[in-house]
Amino acid sequence: MHELGIVFYIIRDVKQVAEENHVDHVSTVVMDIGEVSTVVPHLLTDCWRWAADKEPLLQGCEMQCNTIPAVTWCDECKREYETVKYGKTCPHCNSDNTWLLHGNEVEINSIVV
Amino acid sequence: MDEVKVIEIKKSVFAENEKDADALRQELKSKGVFLLNLMSSPGSGKTTTLIQLINKIKDKVRIAVMEADIDSDVDAVKIKKATGVPSIQLHTGGMCHLDAEMTRQGLDNLNLNEVDLVILENVGNLVCPAEFDTGSCCNVMILSVPEGDDKALKYPLMFSVCDVVLINKIDILPYFDFDMEKCSKNIHERNPQAIIIPISAKTGEGVNVFADWLLHEVQEWKAQTREF
C-alpha cells in the first residue's frame, strides 16, 4: 500500500543524482529490497511504471529489485539464522534476545544511464 | 551502441525524509512546540481518545490538532466541536501516511506562537506511517481490544517505533479473548522501552495516566527550549 509513496521518494532521489551527473535519461533503477522491509517488489515496480512514465527523465526506465535476505543474530548463542523461517525466536537456543542484522533495506543501489 | 554507465547510489529511500524530520524537530524545539504523532489502525478510537484527552488537559496547555486522512474532514470538525481547540484537516491525496514535509506544510497553517502541543492524528494504518518519521517529538499508538493481543507480532515495526502504546476499549474486555499479559509481552519483545497504558476512551478510564505522562513530556521539552 505504501509502495506509491516510496516510488515518489525514489523519483526525487534519482532526479537529484541525474542532475548532479548531468544525465538527461535514466534507463534502469536498481533497488535493494530486504525480505522483511514490508515493501512488495512487484507492487513497487507496478507503481514505478505508472509514475516514472510521467517524468521525461524516466520514460521507459525499468526498475530492477534485488532481494536482500533477512538474517537475525542471536545475542545468547552468538549465531545467525534465517529471519523469515524462524522469526524472533532463535532456532538454535530458543532465546528471544535476537536482532535483525539485515533484511529491512529499502535502498536505491544504482542507476544505469 | 550507446555507452552505458552505472552510477552507484547505495542510499536508503527514507534518508531524505529522516533528514527533513530531524530538521523539523530542531525547529519545534527552538519554538517550544511539542509534536505528538498518534497512529493506529482505522476504528481503534483515535478521535474519541483525543477528545477525552484534550478535554482533560486543555486548561493546562495550549493545544492544536492536525487530522490526516485520505479524504473528508469529519475528524477535524468532530474535534473542534467536542473540544473547542483549533483543528485542521490535512488530505494526503491518496497516500497512506504523512511524511515530514507534509507535516511541516500542516504546521505552517497553525499559529505556533500560540500553541504548546500539536497532536497529529496520522492516517489509520499500522504499516506505512511507521516507515516515515514525521518530525514528531514522540510517537503514540492505539491498539484496541477487538483487534487482538497478537498485533505486535504482525506489525512489529509500528510497535518498535512507538514510545507509548495505549490499549483502548478495555471496557469491552469481558467480551473478547484478549490477554493483556500476553499482549504486553508481545509488545515488550519488540520494544522493551514501550510504555503500555490500558484505557477506555468511552468511559475515560486510564486516560488520566496518559494525560499526566504527556503533560510531563511537554514540560520537559519546553525546559529544553529554554536552555537553547
Side-chain angles (χ1 to χ4, degrees), chain A residues 38-84:
Chain A
T38 77
V39 172
V40 184
H42 81 265
L43 295 179
L44 190 69
T45 50
D46 273 0
C47 294
W48 173 258
R49 187 71 285 129
W50 178 82
D53 285 343
K54 294 184 169 36
E55 303 282 341
L57 174 76
L58 302 170
Q59 257 167 30
C61 175
E62 294 295 327
M63 173 175 278
Q64 265 177 31
C65 294
N66 301 329
T67 302
I68 310 293
V71 176
T72 298
W73 170 258
C74 175
D75 253 356
E76 219 59 58
C77 70
K78 314 286 178 205
R79 286 158 83 177
E80 294 177 4
Y81 66 90
E82 290 168 64
T83 313
V84 174

mmCIF file of all heavy atoms in Angstrom, chain A residues 38-84:
data_model
loop_
_atom_site.group_PDB
_atom_site.id
_atom_site.type_symbol
_atom_site.label_atom_id
_atom_site.label_comp_id
_atom_site.label_asym_id
_atom_site.label_seq_id
_atom_site.Cartn_x
_atom_site.Cartn_y
_atom_site.Cartn_z
ATOM 1 N N THR A 38 8.824 -4.860 4.380
ATOM 2 C CA THR A 38 7.393 -4.561 4.178
ATOM 3 C C THR A 38 7.107 -3.952 2.804
ATOM 4 O O THR A 38 5.995 -3.519 2.548
ATOM 5 C CB THR A 38 6.744 -3.661 5.271
ATOM 6 O OG1 THR A 38 7.138 -2.306 5.062
ATOM 7 C CG2 THR A 38 7.095 -4.128 6.671
ATOM 8 N N VAL A 39 8.122 -3.885 1.939
ATOM 9 C CA VAL A 39 7.884 -3.410 0.574
ATOM 10 C C VAL A 39 7.754 -4.633 -0.340
ATOM 11 O O VAL A 39 8.585 -5.528 -0.307
ATOM 12 C CB VAL A 39 9.039 -2.501 0.091
ATOM 13 C CG1 VAL A 39 8.889 -2.178 -1.390
ATOM 14 C CG2 VAL A 39 9.068 -1.220 0.909
ATOM 15 N N VAL A 40 6.681 -4.642 -1.131
ATOM 16 C CA VAL A 40 6.444 -5.769 -2.031
ATOM 17 C C VAL A 40 6.995 -5.412 -3.420
ATOM 18 O O VAL A 40 6.484 -4.495 -4.062
ATOM 19 C CB VAL A 40 4.928 -6.073 -2.128
ATOM 20 C CG1 VAL A 40 4.682 -7.297 -2.990
ATOM 21 C CG2 VAL A 40 4.335 -6.252 -0.738
ATOM 22 N N PRO A 41 8.060 -6.116 -3.862
ATOM 23 C CA PRO A 41 8.717 -5.711 -5.110
ATOM 24 C C PRO A 41 7.778 -5.583 -6.316
ATOM 25 O O PRO A 41 7.878 -4.598 -7.044
ATOM 26 C CB PRO A 41 9.762 -6.810 -5.326
ATOM 27 C CG PRO A 41 10.094 -7.266 -3.943
ATOM 28 C CD PRO A 41 8.794 -7.195 -3.188
ATOM 29 N N HIS A 42 6.833 -6.524 -6.513
ATOM 30 C CA HIS A 42 6.030 -6.389 -7.735
ATOM 31 C C HIS A 42 5.052 -5.215 -7.669
ATOM 32 O O HIS A 42 4.717 -4.615 -8.679
ATOM 33 C CB HIS A 42 5.346 -7.720 -8.120
ATOM 34 C CG HIS A 42 4.098 -8.020 -7.369
ATOM 35 N ND1 HIS A 42 4.087 -8.807 -6.247
ATOM 36 C CD2 HIS A 42 2.816 -7.639 -7.569
ATOM 37 C CE1 HIS A 42 2.837 -8.895 -5.794
ATOM 38 N NE2 HIS A 42 2.050 -8.205 -6.582
ATOM 39 N N LEU A 43 4.644 -4.839 -6.448
ATOM 40 C CA LEU A 43 3.800 -3.637 -6.320
ATOM 41 C C LEU A 43 4.636 -2.378 -6.539
ATOM 42 O O LEU A 43 4.181 -1.400 -7.128
ATOM 43 C CB LEU A 43 3.143 -3.588 -4.936
ATOM 44 C CG LEU A 43 2.153 -4.704 -4.621
ATOM 45 C CD1 LEU A 43 1.592 -4.540 -3.216
ATOM 46 C CD2 LEU A 43 1.016 -4.714 -5.638
ATOM 47 N N LEU A 44 5.869 -2.450 -6.052
ATOM 48 C CA LEU A 44 6.766 -1.302 -6.237
ATOM 49 C C LEU A 44 7.018 -1.064 -7.729
ATOM 50 O O LEU A 44 6.942 0.074 -8.202
ATOM 51 C CB LEU A 44 8.091 -1.570 -5.504
ATOM 52 C CG LEU A 44 9.034 -0.374 -5.390
ATOM 53 C CD1 LEU A 44 8.466 0.677 -4.437
ATOM 54 C CD2 LEU A 44 10.416 -0.800 -4.905
ATOM 55 N N THR A 45 7.285 -2.147 -8.470
ATOM 56 C CA THR A 45 7.566 -1.970 -9.904
ATOM 57 C C THR A 45 6.298 -1.540 -10.667
ATOM 58 O O THR A 45 6.390 -0.762 -11.614
ATOM 59 C CB THR A 45 8.160 -3.253 -10.529
ATOM 60 O OG1 THR A 45 7.346 -4.361 -10.175
ATOM 61 C CG2 THR A 45 9.565 -3.507 -10.050
ATOM 62 N N ASP A 46 5.119 -1.991 -10.218
ATOM 63 C CA ASP A 46 3.861 -1.528 -10.833
ATOM 64 C C ASP A 46 3.681 -0.019 -10.652
ATOM 65 O O ASP A 46 3.378 0.704 -11.592
ATOM 66 C CB ASP A 46 2.653 -2.224 -10.168
ATOM 67 C CG ASP A 46 2.344 -3.562 -10.822
ATOM 68 O OD1 ASP A 46 3.067 -3.935 -11.766
ATOM 69 O OD2 ASP A 46 1.397 -4.228 -10.369
ATOM 70 N N CYS A 47 3.863 0.420 -9.408
ATOM 71 C CA CYS A 47 3.730 1.850 -9.112
ATOM 72 C C CYS A 47 4.792 2.647 -9.871
ATOM 73 O O CYS A 47 4.544 3.748 -10.356
ATOM 74 C CB CYS A 47 3.883 2.113 -7.617
ATOM 75 S SG CYS A 47 2.576 1.425 -6.620
ATOM 76 N N TRP A 48 5.977 2.063 -9.952
ATOM 77 C CA TRP A 48 7.084 2.712 -10.659
ATOM 78 C C TRP A 48 6.709 2.976 -12.115
ATOM 79 O O TRP A 48 6.895 4.081 -12.626
ATOM 80 C CB TRP A 48 8.344 1.844 -10.580
ATOM 81 C CG TRP A 48 9.454 2.356 -11.411
ATOM 82 C CD1 TRP A 48 9.866 1.898 -12.623
ATOM 83 C CD2 TRP A 48 10.289 3.477 -11.105
ATOM 84 N NE1 TRP A 48 10.899 2.647 -13.099
ATOM 85 C CE2 TRP A 48 11.186 3.622 -12.188
ATOM 86 C CE3 TRP A 48 10.371 4.359 -10.026
ATOM 87 C CZ2 TRP A 48 12.153 4.632 -12.223
ATOM 88 C CZ3 TRP A 48 11.336 5.356 -10.056
ATOM 89 C CH2 TRP A 48 12.210 5.484 -11.142
ATOM 90 N N ARG A 49 6.158 1.935 -12.771
ATOM 91 C CA ARG A 49 5.789 2.062 -14.188
ATOM 92 C C ARG A 49 4.832 3.240 -14.387
ATOM 93 O O ARG A 49 4.983 4.056 -15.281
ATOM 94 C CB ARG A 49 5.146 0.741 -14.647
ATOM 95 C CG ARG A 49 4.826 0.559 -16.075
ATOM 96 C CD ARG A 49 6.073 0.376 -16.970
ATOM 97 N NE ARG A 49 6.791 1.623 -17.201
ATOM 98 C CZ ARG A 49 8.100 1.775 -17.019
ATOM 99 N NH1 ARG A 49 8.883 0.805 -16.627
ATOM 100 N NH2 ARG A 49 8.676 2.932 -17.244
ATOM 101 N N TRP A 50 3.833 3.324 -13.484
ATOM 102 C CA TRP A 50 2.809 4.364 -13.599
ATOM 103 C C TRP A 50 3.422 5.758 -13.408
ATOM 104 O O TRP A 50 3.170 6.676 -14.178
ATOM 105 C CB TRP A 50 1.718 4.115 -12.553
ATOM 106 C CG TRP A 50 0.641 5.146 -12.549
ATOM 107 C CD1 TRP A 50 -0.439 5.211 -13.383
ATOM 108 C CD2 TRP A 50 0.552 6.284 -11.686
ATOM 109 N NE1 TRP A 50 -1.190 6.317 -13.085
ATOM 110 C CE2 TRP A 50 -0.621 6.992 -12.055
ATOM 111 C CE3 TRP A 50 1.340 6.774 -10.629
ATOM 112 C CZ2 TRP A 50 -1.014 8.161 -11.404
ATOM 113 C CZ3 TRP A 50 0.948 7.928 -9.994
ATOM 114 C CH2 TRP A 50 -0.218 8.612 -10.375
ATOM 115 N N ALA A 51 4.251 5.884 -12.369
ATOM 116 C CA ALA A 51 4.767 7.209 -12.006
ATOM 117 C C ALA A 51 5.961 7.620 -12.869
ATOM 118 O O ALA A 51 6.082 8.789 -13.253
ATOM 119 C CB ALA A 51 5.154 7.237 -10.531
ATOM 120 N N ALA A 52 6.834 6.671 -13.195
ATOM 121 C CA ALA A 52 8.071 7.022 -13.898
ATOM 122 C C ALA A 52 7.773 7.545 -15.305
ATOM 123 O O ALA A 52 8.435 8.479 -15.787
ATOM 124 C CB ALA A 52 8.997 5.801 -13.975
ATOM 125 N N ASP A 53 6.777 6.977 -15.968
ATOM 126 C CA ASP A 53 6.470 7.398 -17.339
ATOM 127 C C ASP A 53 5.965 8.834 -17.427
ATOM 128 O O ASP A 53 5.911 9.410 -18.496
ATOM 129 C CB ASP A 53 5.465 6.425 -17.982
ATOM 130 C CG ASP A 53 6.137 5.106 -18.370
ATOM 131 O OD1 ASP A 53 7.385 5.080 -18.450
ATOM 132 O OD2 ASP A 53 5.423 4.108 -18.571
ATOM 133 N N LYS A 54 5.603 9.402 -16.292
ATOM 134 C CA LYS A 54 5.161 10.796 -16.291
ATOM 135 C C LYS A 54 6.346 11.765 -16.265
ATOM 136 O O LYS A 54 6.183 12.970 -16.383
ATOM 137 C CB LYS A 54 4.265 11.051 -15.078
ATOM 138 C CG LYS A 54 2.951 10.280 -15.160
ATOM 139 C CD LYS A 54 2.054 10.617 -13.998
ATOM 140 C CE LYS A 54 0.644 10.086 -14.169
ATOM 141 N NZ LYS A 54 0.517 8.793 -14.841
ATOM 142 N N GLU A 55 7.557 11.235 -16.051
ATOM 143 C CA GLU A 55 8.761 12.078 -15.963
ATOM 144 C C GLU A 55 9.607 11.881 -17.221
ATOM 145 O O GLU A 55 10.002 10.745 -17.506
ATOM 146 C CB GLU A 55 9.621 11.660 -14.752
ATOM 147 C CG GLU A 55 8.909 11.703 -13.425
ATOM 148 C CD GLU A 55 8.787 13.117 -12.891
ATOM 149 O OE1 GLU A 55 9.552 14.003 -13.359
ATOM 150 O OE2 GLU A 55 7.925 13.332 -12.029
ATOM 151 N N PRO A 56 9.906 12.960 -17.965
ATOM 152 C CA PRO A 56 10.739 12.807 -19.175
ATOM 153 C C PRO A 56 12.055 12.073 -18.892
ATOM 154 O O PRO A 56 12.469 11.220 -19.674
ATOM 155 C CB PRO A 56 11.006 14.253 -19.606
ATOM 156 C CG PRO A 56 9.893 15.041 -19.002
ATOM 157 C CD PRO A 56 9.483 14.350 -17.749
ATOM 158 N N LEU A 57 12.675 12.363 -17.749
ATOM 159 C CA LEU A 57 13.952 11.734 -17.380
ATOM 160 C C LEU A 57 13.835 10.216 -17.261
ATOM 161 O O LEU A 57 14.804 9.487 -17.470
ATOM 162 C CB LEU A 57 14.405 12.317 -16.029
ATOM 163 C CG LEU A 57 15.641 11.710 -15.371
ATOM 164 C CD1 LEU A 57 16.906 12.198 -16.058
ATOM 165 C CD2 LEU A 57 15.687 12.027 -13.883
ATOM 166 N N LEU A 58 12.617 9.743 -16.913
ATOM 167 C CA LEU A 58 12.458 8.326 -16.545
ATOM 168 C C LEU A 58 11.521 7.557 -17.470
ATOM 169 O O LEU A 58 11.099 6.450 -17.143
ATOM 170 C CB LEU A 58 11.920 8.242 -15.101
ATOM 171 C CG LEU A 58 12.790 8.914 -14.044
ATOM 172 C CD1 LEU A 58 12.061 8.993 -12.713
ATOM 173 C CD2 LEU A 58 14.107 8.172 -13.867
ATOM 174 N N GLN A 59 11.201 8.134 -18.635
ATOM 175 C CA GLN A 59 10.272 7.439 -19.531
ATOM 176 C C GLN A 59 10.849 6.107 -20.001
ATOM 177 O O GLN A 59 11.981 6.044 -20.474
ATOM 178 C CB GLN A 59 9.909 8.326 -20.713
ATOM 179 C CG GLN A 59 8.517 8.901 -20.505
ATOM 180 C CD GLN A 59 8.176 10.010 -21.444
ATOM 181 O OE1 GLN A 59 8.677 10.022 -22.565
ATOM 182 N NE2 GLN A 59 7.338 10.923 -21.002
ATOM 183 N N GLY A 60 10.073 5.049 -19.802
ATOM 184 C CA GLY A 60 10.521 3.714 -20.206
ATOM 185 C C GLY A 60 11.584 3.123 -19.282
ATOM 186 O O GLY A 60 12.067 2.019 -19.509
ATOM 187 N N CYS A 61 11.950 3.846 -18.233
ATOM 188 C CA CYS A 61 13.008 3.383 -17.318
ATOM 189 C C CYS A 61 12.533 2.155 -16.533
ATOM 190 O O CYS A 61 11.469 2.162 -15.918
ATOM 191 C CB CYS A 61 13.374 4.521 -16.360
ATOM 192 S SG CYS A 61 14.549 4.042 -15.095
ATOM 193 N N GLU A 62 13.320 1.097 -16.578
ATOM 194 C CA GLU A 62 12.972 -0.145 -15.875
ATOM 195 C C GLU A 62 13.397 -0.066 -14.417
ATOM 196 O O GLU A 62 14.372 0.617 -14.087
ATOM 197 C CB GLU A 62 13.716 -1.332 -16.510
ATOM 198 C CG GLU A 62 13.277 -1.648 -17.936
ATOM 199 C CD GLU A 62 11.832 -2.107 -18.009
ATOM 200 O OE1 GLU A 62 11.386 -2.766 -17.052
ATOM 201 O OE2 GLU A 62 11.151 -1.769 -19.003
ATOM 202 N N MET A 63 12.671 -0.781 -13.565
ATOM 203 C CA MET A 63 13.125 -0.931 -12.187
ATOM 204 C C MET A 63 13.465 -2.402 -11.944
ATOM 205 O O MET A 63 12.670 -3.286 -12.236
ATOM 206 C CB MET A 63 12.048 -0.492 -11.205
ATOM 207 C CG MET A 63 12.446 -0.795 -9.770
ATOM 208 S SD MET A 63 11.257 -0.165 -8.576
ATOM 209 C CE MET A 63 11.792 1.539 -8.485
ATOM 210 N N GLN A 64 14.673 -2.609 -11.416
ATOM 211 C CA GLN A 64 15.092 -3.973 -11.044
ATOM 212 C C GLN A 64 15.176 -4.046 -9.524
ATOM 213 O O GLN A 64 15.753 -3.154 -8.910
ATOM 214 C CB GLN A 64 16.504 -4.229 -11.565
ATOM 215 C CG GLN A 64 16.568 -4.918 -12.908
ATOM 216 C CD GLN A 64 18.030 -5.035 -13.344
ATOM 217 O OE1 GLN A 64 18.931 -5.157 -12.520
ATOM 218 N NE2 GLN A 64 18.234 -4.967 -14.651
ATOM 219 N N CYS A 65 14.624 -5.092 -8.935
ATOM 220 C CA CYS A 65 14.691 -5.222 -7.475
ATOM 221 C C CYS A 65 15.557 -6.421 -7.086
ATOM 222 O O CYS A 65 15.230 -7.556 -7.435
ATOM 223 C CB CYS A 65 13.293 -5.387 -6.884
ATOM 224 S SG CYS A 65 12.255 -3.940 -7.080
ATOM 225 N N ASN A 66 16.638 -6.154 -6.373
ATOM 226 C CA ASN A 66 17.422 -7.247 -5.771
ATOM 227 C C ASN A 66 16.829 -7.539 -4.399
ATOM 228 O O ASN A 66 16.509 -6.617 -3.655
ATOM 229 C CB ASN A 66 18.878 -6.833 -5.545
ATOM 230 C CG ASN A 66 19.566 -6.437 -6.833
ATOM 231 O OD1 ASN A 66 19.243 -6.953 -7.906
ATOM 232 N ND2 ASN A 66 20.504 -5.499 -6.740
ATOM 233 N N THR A 67 16.692 -8.826 -4.066
ATOM 234 C CA THR A 67 16.184 -9.177 -2.740
ATOM 235 C C THR A 67 17.350 -9.382 -1.781
ATOM 236 O O THR A 67 18.284 -10.124 -2.083
ATOM 237 C CB THR A 67 15.352 -10.470 -2.825
ATOM 238 O OG1 THR A 67 14.287 -10.235 -3.755
ATOM 239 C CG2 THR A 67 14.751 -10.844 -1.478
ATOM 240 N N ILE A 68 17.283 -8.709 -0.646
ATOM 241 C CA ILE A 68 18.314 -8.880 0.387
ATOM 242 C C ILE A 68 17.754 -9.842 1.441
ATOM 243 O O ILE A 68 16.735 -9.537 2.065
ATOM 244 C CB ILE A 68 18.665 -7.530 1.063
ATOM 245 C CG1 ILE A 68 18.966 -6.453 0.018
ATOM 246 C CG2 ILE A 68 19.803 -7.699 2.061
ATOM 247 C CD1 ILE A 68 20.210 -6.676 -0.798
ATOM 248 N N PRO A 69 18.373 -10.999 1.625
ATOM 249 C CA PRO A 69 17.840 -11.968 2.590
ATOM 250 C C PRO A 69 17.841 -11.399 4.009
ATOM 251 O O PRO A 69 18.738 -10.627 4.368
ATOM 252 C CB PRO A 69 18.816 -13.153 2.507
ATOM 253 C CG PRO A 69 19.734 -12.864 1.386
ATOM 254 C CD PRO A 69 19.634 -11.421 1.026
ATOM 255 N N ALA A 70 16.821 -11.775 4.773
ATOM 256 C CA ALA A 70 16.741 -11.311 6.157
ATOM 257 C C ALA A 70 17.481 -12.296 7.061
ATOM 258 O O ALA A 70 17.220 -13.497 7.032
ATOM 259 C CB ALA A 70 15.289 -11.189 6.586
ATOM 260 N N VAL A 71 18.415 -11.773 7.851
ATOM 261 C CA VAL A 71 19.212 -12.605 8.750
ATOM 262 C C VAL A 71 19.162 -12.008 10.155
ATOM 263 O O VAL A 71 19.328 -10.802 10.330
ATOM 264 C CB VAL A 71 20.683 -12.699 8.265
ATOM 265 C CG1 VAL A 71 21.532 -13.473 9.262
ATOM 266 C CG2 VAL A 71 20.749 -13.331 6.883
ATOM 267 N N THR A 72 18.890 -12.844 11.134
ATOM 268 C CA THR A 72 18.813 -12.397 12.526
ATOM 269 C C THR A 72 19.995 -12.946 13.315
ATOM 270 O O THR A 72 20.461 -14.062 13.065
ATOM 271 C CB THR A 72 17.485 -12.851 13.162
ATOM 272 O OG1 THR A 72 16.408 -12.257 12.446
ATOM 273 C CG2 THR A 72 17.382 -12.438 14.622
ATOM 274 N N TRP A 73 20.482 -12.152 14.248
ATOM 275 C CA TRP A 73 21.605 -12.514 15.121
ATOM 276 C C TRP A 73 21.082 -12.811 16.516
ATOM 277 O O TRP A 73 20.250 -12.066 17.039
ATOM 278 C CB TRP A 73 22.590 -11.342 15.172
ATOM 279 C CG TRP A 73 23.668 -11.464 16.215
ATOM 280 C CD1 TRP A 73 23.702 -10.830 17.410
ATOM 281 C CD2 TRP A 73 24.855 -12.261 16.149
ATOM 282 N NE1 TRP A 73 24.842 -11.176 18.098
ATOM 283 C CE2 TRP A 73 25.569 -12.050 17.352
ATOM 284 C CE3 TRP A 73 25.387 -13.131 15.191
ATOM 285 C CZ2 TRP A 73 26.779 -12.678 17.622
ATOM 286 C CZ3 TRP A 73 26.588 -13.755 15.466
ATOM 287 C CH2 TRP A 73 27.282 -13.522 16.664
ATOM 288 N N CYS A 74 21.531 -13.929 17.089
ATOM 289 C CA CYS A 74 21.120 -14.271 18.445
ATOM 290 C C CYS A 74 22.216 -13.852 19.422
ATOM 291 O O CYS A 74 23.354 -14.307 19.319
ATOM 292 C CB CYS A 74 20.848 -15.773 18.566
ATOM 293 S SG CYS A 74 20.482 -16.244 20.271
ATOM 294 N N ASP A 75 21.858 -12.977 20.360
ATOM 295 C CA ASP A 75 22.816 -12.471 21.348
ATOM 296 C C ASP A 75 23.184 -13.541 22.374
ATOM 297 O O ASP A 75 24.213 -13.455 23.032
ATOM 298 C CB ASP A 75 22.200 -11.272 22.080
ATOM 299 C CG ASP A 75 22.841 -9.963 21.645
ATOM 300 O OD1 ASP A 75 23.799 -10.026 20.843
ATOM 301 O OD2 ASP A 75 22.381 -8.896 22.094
ATOM 302 N N GLU A 76 22.309 -14.529 22.520
ATOM 303 C CA GLU A 76 22.514 -15.564 23.530
ATOM 304 C C GLU A 76 23.563 -16.578 23.070
ATOM 305 O O GLU A 76 24.553 -16.809 23.748
ATOM 306 C CB GLU A 76 21.163 -16.268 23.780
ATOM 307 C CG GLU A 76 20.887 -16.621 25.212
ATOM 308 C CD GLU A 76 20.883 -15.395 26.106
ATOM 309 O OE1 GLU A 76 20.087 -14.445 25.877
ATOM 310 O OE2 GLU A 76 21.691 -15.383 27.047
ATOM 311 N N CYS A 77 23.317 -17.189 21.875
ATOM 312 C CA CYS A 77 24.240 -18.248 21.434
ATOM 313 C C CYS A 77 25.206 -17.758 20.355
ATOM 314 O O CYS A 77 25.993 -18.542 19.823
ATOM 315 C CB CYS A 77 23.469 -19.487 20.971
ATOM 316 S SG CYS A 77 22.576 -19.258 19.430
ATOM 317 N N LYS A 78 25.113 -16.451 20.032
ATOM 318 C CA LYS A 78 26.052 -15.810 19.090
ATOM 319 C C LYS A 78 26.055 -16.492 17.716
ATOM 320 O O LYS A 78 27.113 -16.726 17.135
ATOM 321 C CB LYS A 78 27.487 -15.783 19.656
ATOM 322 C CG LYS A 78 27.612 -15.339 21.100
ATOM 323 C CD LYS A 78 27.408 -13.840 21.244
ATOM 324 C CE LYS A 78 27.489 -13.398 22.701
ATOM 325 N NZ LYS A 78 26.757 -12.155 22.951
ATOM 326 N N ARG A 79 24.848 -16.846 17.265
ATOM 327 C CA ARG A 79 24.752 -17.426 15.929
ATOM 328 C C ARG A 79 23.715 -16.684 15.104
ATOM 329 O O ARG A 79 22.882 -15.971 15.648
ATOM 330 C CB ARG A 79 24.378 -18.914 16.031
ATOM 331 C CG ARG A 79 25.544 -19.769 16.513
ATOM 332 C CD ARG A 79 25.059 -21.047 17.113
ATOM 333 N NE ARG A 79 24.796 -22.064 16.078
ATOM 334 C CZ ARG A 79 24.408 -23.300 16.373
ATOM 335 N NH1 ARG A 79 24.224 -23.664 17.622
ATOM 336 N NH2 ARG A 79 24.215 -24.176 15.422
ATOM 337 N N GLU A 80 23.790 -16.904 13.784
ATOM 338 C CA GLU A 80 22.836 -16.267 12.869
ATOM 339 C C GLU A 80 21.788 -17.280 12.441
ATOM 340 O O GLU A 80 22.038 -18.478 12.477
ATOM 341 C CB GLU A 80 23.564 -15.780 11.605
ATOM 342 C CG GLU A 80 24.545 -14.671 11.853
ATOM 343 C CD GLU A 80 25.284 -14.290 10.571
ATOM 344 O OE1 GLU A 80 24.959 -14.840 9.493
ATOM 345 O OE2 GLU A 80 26.171 -13.427 10.653
ATOM 346 N N TYR A 81 20.625 -16.786 12.026
ATOM 347 C CA TYR A 81 19.622 -17.675 11.433
ATOM 348 C C TYR A 81 18.720 -16.903 10.466
ATOM 349 O O TYR A 81 18.727 -15.668 10.461
ATOM 350 C CB TYR A 81 18.804 -18.381 12.521
ATOM 351 C CG TYR A 81 17.935 -17.479 13.361
ATOM 352 C CD1 TYR A 81 16.622 -17.196 12.978
ATOM 353 C CD2 TYR A 81 18.412 -16.914 14.544
ATOM 354 C CE1 TYR A 81 15.822 -16.373 13.739
ATOM 355 C CE2 TYR A 81 17.618 -16.088 15.310
ATOM 356 C CZ TYR A 81 16.319 -15.821 14.910
ATOM 357 O OH TYR A 81 15.527 -14.999 15.666
ATOM 358 N N GLU A 82 17.941 -17.655 9.665
ATOM 359 C CA GLU A 82 17.051 -17.040 8.675
ATOM 360 C C GLU A 82 15.818 -16.453 9.363
ATOM 361 O O GLU A 82 15.042 -17.181 9.982
ATOM 362 C CB GLU A 82 16.552 -18.090 7.672
ATOM 363 C CG GLU A 82 17.594 -18.617 6.727
ATOM 364 C CD GLU A 82 17.043 -19.836 5.994
ATOM 365 O OE1 GLU A 82 16.069 -19.677 5.234
ATOM 366 O OE2 GLU A 82 17.565 -20.936 6.218
ATOM 367 N N THR A 83 15.620 -15.154 9.208
ATOM 368 C CA THR A 83 14.518 -14.466 9.896
ATOM 369 C C THR A 83 13.154 -14.958 9.419
ATOM 370 O O THR A 83 12.253 -15.213 10.230
ATOM 371 C CB THR A 83 14.612 -12.953 9.632
ATOM 372 O OG1 THR A 83 15.951 -12.545 9.851
ATOM 373 C CG2 THR A 83 13.672 -12.169 10.517
ATOM 374 N N VAL A 84 12.995 -15.085 8.097
ATOM 375 C CA VAL A 84 11.677 -15.399 7.548
ATOM 376 C C VAL A 84 11.190 -16.771 8.041
ATOM 377 O O VAL A 84 10.025 -16.964 8.338
ATOM 378 C CB VAL A 84 11.710 -15.341 6.005
ATOM 379 C CG1 VAL A 84 10.392 -15.809 5.400
ATOM 380 C CG2 VAL A 84 12.022 -13.914 5.533
#
